[in-house]
Amino acid sequence: MRTRRAVVVIGALALAACGGDDGGEPPALDAQYAVASTIFGDEGTTTYVVFLDTLDAGDVDLASAREFAGWATIGGVDRMLFVGDGESPTLTRYSADDQGTFAESGRISFLDYGARGALYRNVFAGTSRAFMAIDDVQRVAWDPATLEAIGVVELEGVDEARDGLAVRASFDRAAITRGDRVLHPHYFSDDDYYRFAPASQIAVVDGASGEARAVLEAPCPGLDVASVDEDGNAYFSNWVFSAAAPHFEESAPRPCVVRVPADRDEIDSTWTRDLSTLVGDRPTAAFRYLADGVGLVAVLHTEELPDDVAPGQAAVATAWRLWRVDTTSWSAAPIDEIGLFSGGYYAFRVDGDRTIVLLPTDDYGSTSAYEIGPEGAPTLRFTIPGWAYQLVQLGD
C-alpha cells in the first residue's frame, strides 16, 4: 500500500504541472516532500522527481514520476519547488495553492550570466532572495517570488587561492541561512580534491545584497558540510575528500569541526574538535548535528581499505561507517545497523527535528532513506531507484 500511495501522489502532481487532457482542474492533494533521483544508463543520464505525502513511502516506483533529461536538480523555499534543467541553465518553479495543488508557475534562465543553473550551486536566503553561483566567488542575485535576476555579486574578502590551491565554494551541503544573513564556507584544494589548505573561510553574507559582511577564518580544512542545533549554533565540517590524505601523509591537515555560536558571527575557538580522536584515530567527515547534544559523523575505516587503494581513491572506497558523537561527554559509537558504504552521505532536517539520511548502494543503483535520531536503531523510511541526494520539504 505504501508504494501505491506514493505513485498516486506522483501522478496527481504530474497532472497539476502539465495540465489535464480533459481541460478540468487538477486534483488537490497535500504533497509534503519532493525527492530527485538520478539514474545512469548506457543512453545517458535521467533524473526523476518524485512527490510524496509521507516519508513512509516503502519502495518508491518511478513509473509515474516527472522525468527530466540529464542531471536535473531540485530546491525549495516557502512552498515553492524549483527544478533545475539537466541540460540548460533554467529553473522551473512549481507553486502550491492553499489546497496543496502544485502547478508550474514560471521559469528563469541564467544563460546571460554564464551560470549553470544547478540548484546544488544555489543558496536560498529567503522567499525573495537567492544566489546562483557563476563561479566560486561570483553569483547571480535573483528573486524566487518574481523570478527576476537582480545582478551579479562578488564576495569580497574571500581569498581566490592559497599556497597554489584554488578557492572552492560549498553550497548544497554547507550554506546556512540565519536571520538576515547566510553563513557560506569556502575552502582551498587542488584540482583532484586531495590536497587541502589547513584553514577555510566562512563568509557572513548579507541576505539581501549578497555582499560579505565579514569573513571568518576557520582553522579546519575543506569545510563543506553544515548543520544547526536547537539553540541556533551552527557547525561546519569537511566533506569526504579531505579525510583521506592524513591517512597517507602525516603532514596533511587533519579534518576538524568548528562552531559558530547563535549569538555572534564568530568562530568559537574553545569548541573546535578533531573527531578522529573519538573513533580510533580514523579519518572523519560530514559531522551533522542531530538532537540532544548528539551528532552524526562518517568515519573512514582504514582497516577496510584495499591494500592497493590509490590515495586519491580512498575517500570514495566502500570503507565508511556512520557513528554517533555525544558532544557533551565527547564519546562516540558506531551505528551497527548500517553497514559499510562508499563516499559521503546526504542528510536533511525535516519537520523541525527529524533527520533523514540518504545512502546509495555501491553502484548507485538505488538509495535508501533512513531516519536517524540521537539514540536507537535507524528506521528505513523508503527506497528509491537511482542515486537520490536531494530531498525538499514543501513548506513548514
Side-chain angles (χ1 to χ4, degrees), residues 80-82 91-95 103-107 144-147:
M80 295 182 289
L81 177 72
F82 292 84
L91 302 184
T92 300
R93 184 181 66 191
Y94 298 87
S95 302
E104 182 177 329
S105 58
R107 299 187 180 193
T146 64
L147 295 178

Side-chain angles (χ1 to χ4, degrees), residues 292-310:
D292 301 331
V294 177
L296 190 68
V297 70
V299 177
L300 179 60
H301 282 247
T302 52
E303 70 275 15
E304 301 288 349
L305 290 172
D307 293 337
D308 59 350
V309 67

Side-chain angles (χ1 to χ4, degrees), residues 61-314:
D61 188 350
L62 300 181
S64 300
R66 291 299 304 269
E67 182 177 330
F68 298 86
W71 197 297
T73 54
I74 63 173
V77 61
D78 192 30
R79 203 77 173 140
M80 295 182 289
L81 177 72
F82 292 84
V83 179
D85 191 289
E87 298 183 329
S88 70
T90 302
L91 302 184
T92 300
R93 184 181 66 191
Y94 298 87
S95 302
D97 60 21
D98 293 339
Q99 287 73 43
T101 302
F102 273 77
E104 182 177 329
S105 58
R107 299 187 180 193
I108 182 171
S109 172
F110 297 97
L111 180 63
D112 291 343
Y113 296 92
R116 293 168 55 190
L119 280 159
Y120 60 79
R121 299 278 289 171
N122 179 78
V123 176
F124 288 104
T127 303
S128 61
R129 190 66 82 246
F131 303 97
M132 175 64 72
I134 298 173
D135 54 31
D136 290 294
V137 294
Q138 294 187 99
R139 56 219 61 197
V140 181
W142 63 283
D143 189 328
T146 64
L147 295 178
E148 294 176 332
I150 298 166
V152 176
V153 181
E154 182 168 350
L155 281 183
E156 296 184 358
V158 174
D159 296 338
E160 293 187 4
R162 287 187 177 181
D163 300 324
L165 304 173
V167 66
R168 318 287 181 181
S170 61
F171 282 92
D172 61 328
R173 295 183 292 257
I176 288 179
T177 299
R178 185 156 76 172
D180 62 352
R181 61 207 185 280
V182 175
L183 303 182
H184 194 170
H186 294 68
Y187 58 93
F188 307 88
S189 77
D190 63 8
D191 290 340
D192 295 325
Y193 290 85
Y194 179 72
R195 299 190 182 281
F196 288 77
S200 302
Q201 293 181 302
I202 301 175
V204 182
V205 180
D206 185 277
S209 69
E211 298 176 349
R213 296 182 181 178
V215 177
L216 312 180
E217 190 73 12
C220 297
L223 295 184
D224 198 12
V225 176
S227 56
V228 180
D229 67 18
E230 299 94 337
D231 297 322
N233 301 306
Y235 302 85
F236 298 89
S237 76
N238 60 303
W239 188 236
V240 297
F241 297 120
S242 60
H247 174 67
F248 296 95
E249 303 176 23
E250 291 186 4
S251 61
R254 294 171 67 91
C256 53
V257 186
V258 300
R259 181 172 71 175
V260 177
D263 60 351
R264 61 189 188 277
D265 293 331
E266 300 175 0
I267 302 295
D268 182 355
S269 59
T270 66
W271 192 94
T272 302
R273 290 290 189 279
D274 174 359
L275 299 182
S276 67
T277 61
L278 307 179
V279 296
D281 203 36
R282 300 180 179 96
T284 61
F287 172 84
R288 288 183 171 94
Y289 185 87
L290 293 174
D292 301 331
V294 177
L296 190 68
V297 70
V299 177
L300 179 60
H301 282 247
T302 52
E303 70 275 15
E304 301 288 349
L305 290 172
D307 293 337
D308 59 350
V309 67
Q313 295 299 311

Side-chain angles (χ1 to χ4, degrees), residues 333-360:
I335 300 177
D336 294 327
E337 293 85 356
I338 297 178
L340 294 171
F341 60 92
S342 58
Y345 71 97
Y346 279 79
F348 302 87
R349 183 71 59 84
V350 299
D351 302 327
D353 59 356
R354 302 171 64 192
T355 297
I356 303 298
V357 173
L358 300 179
L359 285 176

